């Protein structure tokens, strides 16, 4: 049997497909499972156990269609369900299933027309499995750091002189939209409030796009922080995150990476909300959100707060964040 998984982006959504792969592998242990993905995210799929082949998705369907047809898939599972994947499913003419996106429910949540909640995107993906009568035995995703990146990460640690005798907290200040980002001034204030007796250092992580945020934090804090933004590929980022003792992030793709690695973590939600199904699936996660009447104001975030006050984030003070960090350190890190 040969199965094709369609999920092209984005980082967090790809991580959350792992439980589906796990269920398929348990149901069909001898099957060949291929994963069609945008090239930029291929290293993320490398960390998902159970995938046999990763296929880079080109811009034009005709550039990949002959190869996919030649593979003679018995089953196509569409976990993206947009125009590209819909056309691809139609032209492959294989048995296919997709999932219920809950567009209306999420729209109604944002518009405050319902009190419904979506626990996780994984629950939505599971609807595809239900069409095949395949049980989802494990909901929380799992990623495996890849050995081929270990040498690069060890060199990075040496080059940046990361302390080996201190608790290392990875800080991801970035997110896809501004209203999902905790203010950088307050991140810096939070870091400065951490007493030296806690023996804790912060490593700012993220892509090259997050470099300006990291530079602002470094400029505004009096504490020693390590800026590693833009230094690693997506696959290497998984390994680097796995080396951290804990993670602080906004609602973002790296939040789901940390959850899938079972890292103690703090996840900060602003214009989005866990009711939309975006919570980190991790028993070691602490979620901070203000639960304002105007929250969530968006499914994915905005460039700026629609009401111009940004209280969803400004209601979470650096002092409050410090208190959560102390709780995380005492309960999930120092007592590990």
């Amino acid at each position: 049997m040969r199965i094709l998984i369609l999920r092209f982006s984005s980082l967090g959504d790809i991580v959350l497909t792992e439980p589906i792969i796990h269920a398929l592998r348990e149901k069909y242990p001898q099957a060949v499972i291929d994963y069609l993905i945008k090239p930029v995210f291929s290293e993320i799929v490398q960390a998902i156990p159970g995938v046999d082949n990763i296929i880079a998705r080109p811009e034009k369907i005709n550039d990949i269609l002959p190869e996919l047809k030649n593979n003679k898939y018995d089953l196509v599972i569409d976990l993206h369900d947009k125009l590209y994947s819909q056309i691809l499913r139609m032209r492959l003419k294989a048995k296919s299933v997709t999932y219920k996106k809950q567009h209306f429910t999420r729209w109604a949540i944002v518009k405050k027309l319902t009190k419904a909640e979506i626990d996780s995107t994984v629950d939505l993906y599971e609807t595809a499995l239900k069409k095949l009568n395949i049980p989802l035995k494990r909901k929380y995703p799992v990623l495996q750091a890849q050995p081929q990146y270990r040498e690069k990460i060890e060199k990075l640690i040496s080059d940046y002189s990361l302390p080996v005798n201190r608790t290392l907290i990875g800080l991801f200040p970035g997110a896809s939209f501004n209203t999902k980002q905790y203010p950088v001034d307050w991140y810096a204030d939070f870091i400065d409030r951490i007493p030296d007796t806690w023996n804790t250092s912060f490593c700012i992580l993220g892509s090259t796009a997050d470099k300006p945020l990291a530079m602002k934090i470094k400029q505004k804090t009096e504490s020693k922080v390590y800026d590693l933004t833009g230094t690693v590929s997506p696959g290497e980022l998984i390994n680097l995150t796995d080396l951290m003792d804990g993670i602080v992030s906004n609602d973002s793709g790296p939040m789901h990476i940390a959850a899938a690695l079972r890292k103690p973590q703090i996840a900060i939600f602003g214009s989005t909300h866990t009711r939309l199904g975006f919570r980190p699936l991790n028993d070691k996660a602490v979620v901070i959100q203000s639960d304002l009447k105007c929250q969530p104001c968006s499914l994915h975030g905005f460039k700026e707060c629609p009401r111009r006050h940004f209280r969803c984030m400004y209601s979470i003070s650096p002092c409050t964040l410090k208190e959560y960090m102390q709780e995380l350190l005492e309960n999930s890190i120092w007592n590990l």
Side-chain angles (χ1 to χ4, degrees), residues 33-308:
I33 299 178
D34 297 344
Y35 201 124
L36 187 63
I37 188 80
K38 286 185 177 180
V40 68
F41 297 114
S42 62
E43 290 183 0
I44 301 299
V45 182
Q46 287 178 2
I48 296 179
V51 175
D52 294 297
N53 302 296
I54 301 169
I55 304 173
R57 195 209 86 169
E59 288 299 319
K60 296 180 180 179
I61 290 178
N62 286 339
D63 291 340
I64 193 67
L65 193 60
E67 175 185 347
L68 297 181
K69 282 186 173 181
N70 188 59
N71 289 339
K72 298 180 180 179
Y73 290 105
D74 300 286
L75 177 62
V76 177
I77 300 180
D78 187 356
L79 300 179
H80 204 90
D81 197 21
K82 288 192 177 180
L83 184 60
Y84 191 111
S85 63
Q86 292 165 1
I87 295 174
L88 194 59
R89 286 191 344 245
M90 179 181 65
R91 297 184 67 179
L92 282 177
K93 298 179 181 179
K95 178 181 179 180
S96 65
V97 293
T98 186
Y99 74 109
K100 295 180 181 179
K101 286 192 168 186
Q102 296 281 21
H103 281 307
F104 178 78
T105 300
R106 282 176 161 169
W107 174 84
I109 291 171
V110 171
K111 296 298 182 181
K112 317 300 183 292
L113 299 177
T114 179
K115 294 184 179 179
E117 297 186 10
I118 297 172
D119 187 62
S120 171
T121 299
V122 174
D123 293 317
L124 307 187
Y125 289 159
E126 185 186 7
T127 61
L129 290 182
K130 287 181 177 178
K131 295 176 182 178
L132 301 167
N133 295 315
I134 298 175
L136 184 70
K137 295 184 179 180
R138 172 171 55 74
K139 180 175 178 178
Y140 285 19
V142 173
L143 293 180
Q144 293 180 349
Q146 298 298 288
Q148 64 265 34
Y149 302 124
R150 189 174 299 142
E151 184 176 343
K152 165 71 179 290
I153 299 305
E154 290 175 352
K155 184 177 186 303
L156 194 68
I157 291 172
S158 175
D159 291 345
Y160 279 80
S161 300
L162 297 186
V164 295
N165 60 345
R166 295 174 68 87
T167 299
L168 286 179
I169 302 298
L171 177 64
F172 287 94
S176 54
F177 290 91
N178 294 347
T179 56
K180 294 171 69 175
Q181 296 178 3
Y182 190 68
V184 292
D185 290 8
W186 284 27
Y187 265 135
D189 189 338
F190 154 67
I191 292 171
D192 283 338
R193 289 173 182 268
I194 304 301
D196 193 58
T197 54
W198 288 11
N199 197 37
T200 299
S201 293
F202 288 86
C203 301
I204 307 177
L205 308 176
S207 67
T208 303
D210 300 320
K211 177 66 71 174
L213 300 176
M215 292 177 63
K216 289 179 181 178
I217 293 173
K218 283 180 64 70
Q219 290 168 359
K220 294 178 180 294
T221 181
E222 298 178 1
S223 305
K224 174 69 172 178
V225 296
Y226 301 86
D227 175 14
L228 276 69
T229 55
T231 60
V232 294
S233 68
E236 293 164 349
L237 181 64
I238 293 174
N239 284 48
L240 184 57
T241 302
D242 197 35
L243 288 178
M244 298 293 117
D245 296 299
I247 298 295
V248 178
S249 74
N250 306 308
D251 172 19
S252 62
M255 175 190 76
H256 293 293
I257 287 179
L261 292 170
R262 299 296 181 267
K263 307 307 293 186
Q265 67 181 137
I266 294 174
I268 307 171
F269 282 72
S271 61
T272 56
H273 197 279
T274 54
R275 288 177 60 202
L276 294 168
F278 301 141
R279 72 181 179 94
L281 295 176
N282 182 9
D283 293 335
K284 298 178 181 179
V286 175
V287 173
I288 309 177
Q289 55 191 10
S290 300
D291 286 321
L292 303 179
K293 289 183 179 180
C294 58
Q295 193 182 15
C297 64
S298 169
L299 181 60
H300 298 299
F302 291 116
K303 184 177 181 179
E304 59 183 21
C305 172
R307 300 197 177 191
R308 304 293 191 269

Side-chain angles (χ1 to χ4, degrees), residues 245 264 284 331-336:
D245 296 299
K284 298 178 181 179
N331 296 336
S332 298
I333 297 180
W334 291 339
N335 289 338
L336 283 178

